[in-house]
mmCIF file of all heavy atoms in Angstrom:
data_model
loop_
_atom_site.group_PDB
_atom_site.id
_atom_site.type_symbol
_atom_site.label_atom_id
_atom_site.label_comp_id
_atom_site.label_asym_id
_atom_site.label_seq_id
_atom_site.Cartn_x
_atom_site.Cartn_y
_atom_site.Cartn_z
ATOM 1 N N GLN F 1 -6.386 7.710 -21.559
ATOM 2 C CA GLN F 1 -7.537 7.769 -20.650
ATOM 3 C C GLN F 1 -8.084 6.373 -20.371
ATOM 4 O O GLN F 1 -8.598 6.105 -19.291
ATOM 5 C CB GLN F 1 -8.636 8.651 -21.242
ATOM 6 C CG GLN F 1 -8.339 10.121 -21.187
ATOM 7 C CD GLN F 1 -9.392 10.965 -21.914
ATOM 8 O OE1 GLN F 1 -10.157 10.463 -22.723
ATOM 9 N NE2 GLN F 1 -9.393 12.251 -21.626
ATOM 10 N N ILE F 2 -7.984 5.501 -21.353
ATOM 11 C CA ILE F 2 -8.444 4.119 -21.170
ATOM 12 C C ILE F 2 -7.458 3.336 -20.305
ATOM 13 O O ILE F 2 -7.853 2.560 -19.439
ATOM 14 C CB ILE F 2 -8.647 3.432 -22.538
ATOM 15 C CG1 ILE F 2 -9.827 4.090 -23.265
ATOM 16 C CG2 ILE F 2 -8.858 1.936 -22.384
ATOM 17 C CD1 ILE F 2 -9.978 3.681 -24.708
ATOM 18 N N LEU F 3 -6.164 3.558 -20.504
ATOM 19 C CA LEU F 3 -5.143 2.810 -19.771
ATOM 20 C C LEU F 3 -4.928 3.293 -18.340
ATOM 21 O O LEU F 3 -4.530 2.522 -17.469
ATOM 22 C CB LEU F 3 -3.811 2.881 -20.519
ATOM 23 C CG LEU F 3 -3.735 2.125 -21.841
ATOM 24 C CD1 LEU F 3 -2.445 2.455 -22.560
ATOM 25 C CD2 LEU F 3 -3.860 0.637 -21.607
ATOM 26 N N LEU F 4 -5.191 4.552 -18.074
ATOM 27 C CA LEU F 4 -4.879 5.147 -16.775
ATOM 28 C C LEU F 4 -5.536 4.458 -15.584
ATOM 29 O O LEU F 4 -4.857 4.191 -14.585
ATOM 30 C CB LEU F 4 -5.216 6.638 -16.779
ATOM 31 C CG LEU F 4 -4.839 7.404 -15.524
ATOM 32 C CD1 LEU F 4 -3.329 7.428 -15.366
ATOM 33 C CD2 LEU F 4 -5.386 8.809 -15.565
ATOM 34 N N PRO F 5 -6.819 4.130 -15.610
ATOM 35 C CA PRO F 5 -7.418 3.492 -14.420
ATOM 36 C C PRO F 5 -6.754 2.177 -14.029
ATOM 37 O O PRO F 5 -6.647 1.856 -12.856
ATOM 38 C CB PRO F 5 -8.873 3.253 -14.824
ATOM 39 C CG PRO F 5 -9.136 4.224 -15.899
ATOM 40 C CD PRO F 5 -7.833 4.401 -16.623
ATOM 41 N N PHE F 6 -6.256 1.419 -14.997
ATOM 42 C CA PHE F 6 -5.642 0.138 -14.678
ATOM 43 C C PHE F 6 -4.305 0.317 -13.984
ATOM 44 O O PHE F 6 -4.007 -0.358 -13.014
ATOM 45 C CB PHE F 6 -5.486 -0.707 -15.944
ATOM 46 C CG PHE F 6 -6.796 -1.044 -16.572
ATOM 47 C CD1 PHE F 6 -7.220 -0.381 -17.698
ATOM 48 C CD2 PHE F 6 -7.620 -2.007 -16.007
ATOM 49 C CE1 PHE F 6 -8.445 -0.674 -18.267
ATOM 50 C CE2 PHE F 6 -8.847 -2.302 -16.566
ATOM 51 C CZ PHE F 6 -9.254 -1.635 -17.696
ATOM 52 N N SER F 7 -3.503 1.247 -14.463
ATOM 53 C CA SER F 7 -2.191 1.439 -13.840
ATOM 54 C C SER F 7 -2.315 2.067 -12.457
ATOM 55 O O SER F 7 -1.609 1.685 -11.530
ATOM 56 C CB SER F 7 -1.299 2.294 -14.738
ATOM 57 O OG SER F 7 -1.878 3.562 -14.945
ATOM 58 N N THR F 8 -3.234 3.009 -12.298
ATOM 59 C CA THR F 8 -3.367 3.637 -10.986
ATOM 60 C C THR F 8 -3.982 2.691 -9.970
ATOM 61 O O THR F 8 -3.574 2.683 -8.813
ATOM 62 C CB THR F 8 -4.208 4.925 -11.067
ATOM 63 O OG1 THR F 8 -5.454 4.647 -11.696
ATOM 64 C CG2 THR F 8 -3.487 6.007 -11.826
ATOM 65 N N SER F 9 -4.933 1.868 -10.378
ATOM 66 C CA SER F 9 -5.507 0.912 -9.427
ATOM 67 C C SER F 9 -4.472 -0.138 -9.048
ATOM 68 O O SER F 9 -4.414 -0.581 -7.901
ATOM 69 C CB SER F 9 -6.772 0.266 -9.974
ATOM 70 O OG SER F 9 -6.492 -0.484 -11.117
ATOM 71 N N TYR F 10 -3.600 -0.514 -9.985
ATOM 72 C CA TYR F 10 -2.531 -1.461 -9.673
ATOM 73 C C TYR F 10 -1.584 -0.852 -8.645
ATOM 74 O O TYR F 10 -1.178 -1.525 -7.691
ATOM 75 C CB TYR F 10 -1.756 -1.842 -10.946
ATOM 76 C CG TYR F 10 -0.493 -2.595 -10.646
ATOM 77 C CD1 TYR F 10 -0.542 -3.952 -10.291
ATOM 78 C CD2 TYR F 10 0.736 -1.960 -10.678
ATOM 79 C CE1 TYR F 10 0.617 -4.642 -9.991
ATOM 80 C CE2 TYR F 10 1.895 -2.647 -10.375
ATOM 81 C CZ TYR F 10 1.827 -3.985 -10.035
ATOM 82 O OH TYR F 10 2.977 -4.669 -9.738
ATOM 83 N N MET F 11 -1.229 0.403 -8.821
ATOM 84 C CA MET F 11 -0.325 1.061 -7.886
ATOM 85 C C MET F 11 -0.944 1.151 -6.496
ATOM 86 O O MET F 11 -0.266 0.932 -5.489
ATOM 87 C CB MET F 11 0.060 2.446 -8.411
ATOM 88 C CG MET F 11 0.968 2.375 -9.621
ATOM 89 S SD MET F 11 1.202 3.909 -10.533
ATOM 90 C CE MET F 11 1.489 5.110 -9.299
ATOM 91 N N CYS F 12 -2.214 1.471 -6.424
ATOM 92 C CA CYS F 12 -2.896 1.543 -5.127
ATOM 93 C C CYS F 12 -2.959 0.185 -4.451
ATOM 94 O O CYS F 12 -2.713 0.072 -3.242
ATOM 95 C CB CYS F 12 -4.303 2.099 -5.301
ATOM 96 S SG CYS F 12 -4.350 3.826 -5.741
ATOM 97 N N GLU F 13 -3.279 -0.843 -5.220
ATOM 98 C CA GLU F 13 -3.356 -2.194 -4.663
ATOM 99 C C GLU F 13 -2.000 -2.668 -4.167
ATOM 100 O O GLU F 13 -1.894 -3.268 -3.097
ATOM 101 C CB GLU F 13 -3.907 -3.181 -5.702
ATOM 102 C CG GLU F 13 -5.356 -2.976 -6.048
ATOM 103 C CD GLU F 13 -6.290 -3.339 -4.904
ATOM 104 O OE1 GLU F 13 -5.945 -4.208 -4.084
ATOM 105 O OE2 GLU F 13 -7.371 -2.746 -4.844
ATOM 106 N N SER F 14 -0.947 -2.401 -4.933
ATOM 107 C CA SER F 14 0.377 -2.840 -4.488
ATOM 108 C C SER F 14 0.818 -2.059 -3.261
ATOM 109 O O SER F 14 1.446 -2.620 -2.358
ATOM 110 C CB SER F 14 1.401 -2.718 -5.615
ATOM 111 O OG SER F 14 1.547 -1.386 -6.014
ATOM 112 N N ALA F 15 0.492 -0.766 -3.190
ATOM 113 C CA ALA F 15 0.836 0.028 -2.005
ATOM 114 C C ALA F 15 0.104 -0.505 -0.780
ATOM 115 O O ALA F 15 0.686 -0.605 0.311
ATOM 116 C CB ALA F 15 0.493 1.495 -2.231
ATOM 117 N N PHE F 16 -1.147 -0.853 -0.938
ATOM 118 C CA PHE F 16 -1.904 -1.396 0.186
ATOM 119 C C PHE F 16 -1.326 -2.733 0.646
ATOM 120 O O PHE F 16 -1.229 -3.003 1.842
ATOM 121 C CB PHE F 16 -3.383 -1.554 -0.175
ATOM 122 C CG PHE F 16 -4.207 -2.054 0.971
ATOM 123 C CD1 PHE F 16 -4.535 -1.216 2.020
ATOM 124 C CD2 PHE F 16 -4.638 -3.375 1.007
ATOM 125 C CE1 PHE F 16 -5.287 -1.675 3.095
ATOM 126 C CE2 PHE F 16 -5.384 -3.842 2.069
ATOM 127 C CZ PHE F 16 -5.708 -2.989 3.119
ATOM 128 N N SER F 17 -0.922 -3.570 -0.300
ATOM 129 C CA SER F 17 -0.327 -4.859 0.057
ATOM 130 C C SER F 17 0.967 -4.676 0.829
ATOM 131 O O SER F 17 1.220 -5.374 1.814
ATOM 132 C CB SER F 17 -0.059 -5.686 -1.199
ATOM 133 O OG SER F 17 -1.252 -5.998 -1.840
ATOM 134 N N ILE F 18 1.792 -3.723 0.387
ATOM 135 C CA ILE F 18 3.049 -3.451 1.087
ATOM 136 C C ILE F 18 2.769 -2.890 2.473
ATOM 137 O O ILE F 18 3.437 -3.245 3.449
ATOM 138 C CB ILE F 18 3.937 -2.511 0.248
ATOM 139 C CG1 ILE F 18 4.464 -3.267 -0.964
ATOM 140 C CG2 ILE F 18 5.084 -1.956 1.075
ATOM 141 C CD1 ILE F 18 5.183 -2.423 -1.966
ATOM 142 N N LEU F 19 1.771 -2.037 2.588
ATOM 143 C CA LEU F 19 1.392 -1.501 3.899
ATOM 144 C C LEU F 19 0.952 -2.626 4.829
ATOM 145 O O LEU F 19 1.321 -2.663 5.999
ATOM 146 C CB LEU F 19 0.269 -0.476 3.744
ATOM 147 C CG LEU F 19 -0.326 0.076 5.037
ATOM 148 C CD1 LEU F 19 0.713 0.917 5.772
ATOM 149 C CD2 LEU F 19 -1.561 0.896 4.737
ATOM 150 N N GLU F 20 0.195 -3.555 4.301
ATOM 151 C CA GLU F 20 -0.307 -4.676 5.096
ATOM 152 C C GLU F 20 0.847 -5.555 5.594
ATOM 153 O O GLU F 20 0.838 -6.018 6.727
ATOM 154 C CB GLU F 20 -1.274 -5.496 4.243
ATOM 155 C CG GLU F 20 -2.094 -6.472 5.014
ATOM 156 C CD GLU F 20 -3.117 -7.142 4.118
ATOM 157 O OE1 GLU F 20 -2.829 -7.408 2.945
ATOM 158 O OE2 GLU F 20 -4.225 -7.397 4.622
ATOM 159 N N VAL F 21 1.849 -5.760 4.745
ATOM 160 C CA VAL F 21 3.005 -6.561 5.137
ATOM 161 C C VAL F 21 3.868 -5.801 6.145
ATOM 162 O O VAL F 21 4.362 -6.372 7.107
ATOM 163 C CB VAL F 21 3.840 -6.944 3.894
ATOM 164 C CG1 VAL F 21 5.183 -7.516 4.281
ATOM 165 C CG2 VAL F 21 3.066 -7.908 3.028
ATOM 166 N N THR F 22 4.026 -4.501 5.933
ATOM 167 C CA THR F 22 4.880 -3.690 6.797
ATOM 168 C C THR F 22 4.294 -3.528 8.191
ATOM 169 O O THR F 22 4.998 -3.629 9.192
ATOM 170 C CB THR F 22 5.112 -2.298 6.171
ATOM 171 O OG1 THR F 22 5.654 -2.478 4.865
ATOM 172 C CG2 THR F 22 6.055 -1.475 6.994
ATOM 173 N N LYS F 23 3.017 -3.270 8.251
ATOM 174 C CA LYS F 23 2.395 -2.987 9.544
ATOM 175 C C LYS F 23 1.693 -4.243 10.061
ATOM 176 O O LYS F 23 0.480 -4.365 10.037
ATOM 177 C CB LYS F 23 1.414 -1.827 9.404
ATOM 178 C CG LYS F 23 1.105 -1.168 10.720
ATOM 179 C CD LYS F 23 0.520 0.194 10.528
ATOM 180 C CE LYS F 23 0.296 0.814 11.888
ATOM 181 N NZ LYS F 23 -0.120 2.159 11.831
ATOM 182 N N THR F 24 2.482 -5.164 10.550
ATOM 183 C CA THR F 24 1.945 -6.413 11.093
ATOM 184 C C THR F 24 1.576 -6.211 12.556
ATOM 185 O O THR F 24 1.756 -5.122 13.108
ATOM 186 C CB THR F 24 3.002 -7.535 10.983
ATOM 187 O OG1 THR F 24 4.142 -7.132 11.720
ATOM 188 C CG2 THR F 24 3.366 -7.801 9.536
ATOM 189 N N LYS F 25 1.107 -7.256 13.194
ATOM 190 C CA LYS F 25 0.735 -7.167 14.613
ATOM 191 C C LYS F 25 1.941 -6.805 15.477
ATOM 192 O O LYS F 25 1.824 -6.055 16.436
ATOM 193 C CB LYS F 25 0.151 -8.490 15.093
ATOM 194 C CG LYS F 25 -1.246 -8.739 14.598
ATOM 195 C CD LYS F 25 -1.795 -10.028 15.167
ATOM 196 C CE LYS F 25 -3.205 -10.257 14.655
ATOM 197 N NZ LYS F 25 -3.791 -11.483 15.178
ATOM 198 N N LYS F 26 3.103 -7.325 15.110
ATOM 199 C CA LYS F 26 4.307 -7.058 15.893
ATOM 200 C C LYS F 26 4.799 -5.627 15.715
ATOM 201 O O LYS F 26 5.518 -5.112 16.545
ATOM 202 C CB LYS F 26 5.410 -8.037 15.523
ATOM 203 C CG LYS F 26 5.071 -9.461 15.918
ATOM 204 C CD LYS F 26 6.141 -10.412 15.497
ATOM 205 C CE LYS F 26 5.729 -11.833 15.882
ATOM 206 N NZ LYS F 26 6.642 -12.819 15.372
ATOM 207 N N ARG F 27 4.430 -5.010 14.596
ATOM 208 C CA ARG F 27 4.873 -3.642 14.328
ATOM 209 C C ARG F 27 3.701 -2.678 14.299
ATOM 210 O O ARG F 27 3.730 -1.673 13.612
ATOM 211 C CB ARG F 27 5.614 -3.607 12.992
ATOM 212 C CG ARG F 27 6.845 -4.481 12.988
ATOM 213 C CD ARG F 27 7.537 -4.450 11.672
ATOM 214 N NE ARG F 27 8.191 -3.178 11.485
ATOM 215 C CZ ARG F 27 8.745 -2.802 10.349
ATOM 216 N NH1 ARG F 27 8.719 -3.608 9.312
ATOM 217 N NH2 ARG F 27 9.323 -1.636 10.232
ATOM 218 N N SER F 28 2.675 -2.980 15.026
ATOM 219 C CA SER F 28 1.454 -2.171 14.989
ATOM 220 C C SER F 28 1.647 -0.777 15.587
ATOM 221 O O SER F 28 0.858 0.117 15.329
ATOM 222 C CB SER F 28 0.317 -2.890 15.702
ATOM 223 O OG SER F 28 0.641 -3.053 17.055
ATOM 224 N N THR F 29 2.677 -0.583 16.394
ATOM 225 C CA THR F 29 2.910 0.738 16.997
ATOM 226 C C THR F 29 3.736 1.640 16.099
ATOM 227 O O THR F 29 4.065 2.757 16.491
ATOM 228 C CB THR F 29 3.624 0.595 18.351
ATOM 229 O OG1 THR F 29 4.859 -0.093 18.142
ATOM 230 C CG2 THR F 29 2.746 -0.155 19.341
ATOM 231 N N LEU F 30 4.053 1.170 14.914
ATOM 232 C CA LEU F 30 4.830 1.970 13.968
ATOM 233 C C LEU F 30 4.026 3.206 13.582
ATOM 234 O O LEU F 30 2.947 3.115 13.018
ATOM 235 C CB LEU F 30 5.124 1.115 12.729
ATOM 236 C CG LEU F 30 6.102 1.630 11.717
ATOM 237 C CD1 LEU F 30 7.476 1.805 12.349
ATOM 238 C CD2 LEU F 30 6.198 0.678 10.543
ATOM 239 N N LYS F 31 4.550 4.374 13.932
ATOM 240 C CA LYS F 31 3.815 5.628 13.704
ATOM 241 C C LYS F 31 4.148 6.256 12.348
ATOM 242 O O LYS F 31 3.281 6.660 11.613
ATOM 243 C CB LYS F 31 4.136 6.632 14.812
ATOM 244 C CG LYS F 31 3.787 6.134 16.202
ATOM 245 C CD LYS F 31 2.361 6.444 16.534
ATOM 246 C CE LYS F 31 2.096 6.189 17.992
ATOM 247 N NZ LYS F 31 1.278 5.096 18.301
ATOM 248 N N ASP F 32 5.431 6.361 12.048
ATOM 249 C CA ASP F 32 5.859 7.046 10.827
ATOM 250 C C ASP F 32 5.917 6.049 9.670
ATOM 251 O O ASP F 32 6.976 5.586 9.273
ATOM 252 C CB ASP F 32 7.223 7.708 11.055
ATOM 253 C CG ASP F 32 7.664 8.521 9.851
ATOM 254 O OD1 ASP F 32 6.797 8.964 9.082
ATOM 255 O OD2 ASP F 32 8.887 8.702 9.679
ATOM 256 N N ILE F 33 4.761 5.719 9.134
ATOM 257 C CA ILE F 33 4.674 4.713 8.078
ATOM 258 C C ILE F 33 5.038 5.279 6.700
ATOM 259 O O ILE F 33 5.399 4.545 5.800
ATOM 260 C CB ILE F 33 3.269 4.064 8.072
ATOM 261 C CG1 ILE F 33 3.266 2.746 7.282
ATOM 262 C CG2 ILE F 33 2.243 5.015 7.510
ATOM 263 C CD1 ILE F 33 3.924 1.641 8.002
ATOM 264 N N GLU F 34 4.984 6.615 6.541
ATOM 265 C CA GLU F 34 5.259 7.223 5.234
ATOM 266 C C GLU F 34 6.666 6.901 4.753
ATOM 267 O O GLU F 34 6.876 6.576 3.585
ATOM 268 C CB GLU F 34 5.065 8.745 5.270
ATOM 269 C CG GLU F 34 3.632 9.188 5.426
ATOM 270 C CD GLU F 34 3.222 9.322 6.880
ATOM 271 O OE1 GLU F 34 4.104 9.303 7.762
ATOM 272 O OE2 GLU F 34 2.019 9.428 7.137
ATOM 273 N N SER F 35 7.643 7.004 5.649
ATOM 274 C CA SER F 35 9.035 6.723 5.268
ATOM 275 C C SER F 35 9.201 5.262 4.867
ATOM 276 O O SER F 35 9.879 4.954 3.882
ATOM 277 C CB SER F 35 9.980 7.041 6.422
ATOM 278 O OG SER F 35 9.848 8.386 6.788
#
């Protein structure tokens, strides 16, 4: 229970960073981002 918040927040932060890199201005029309 003590360790869980750190690992889940890390996963969320890394997912957001990857999303930010993937969906750049040049690829802003990318609709199916889940794949």
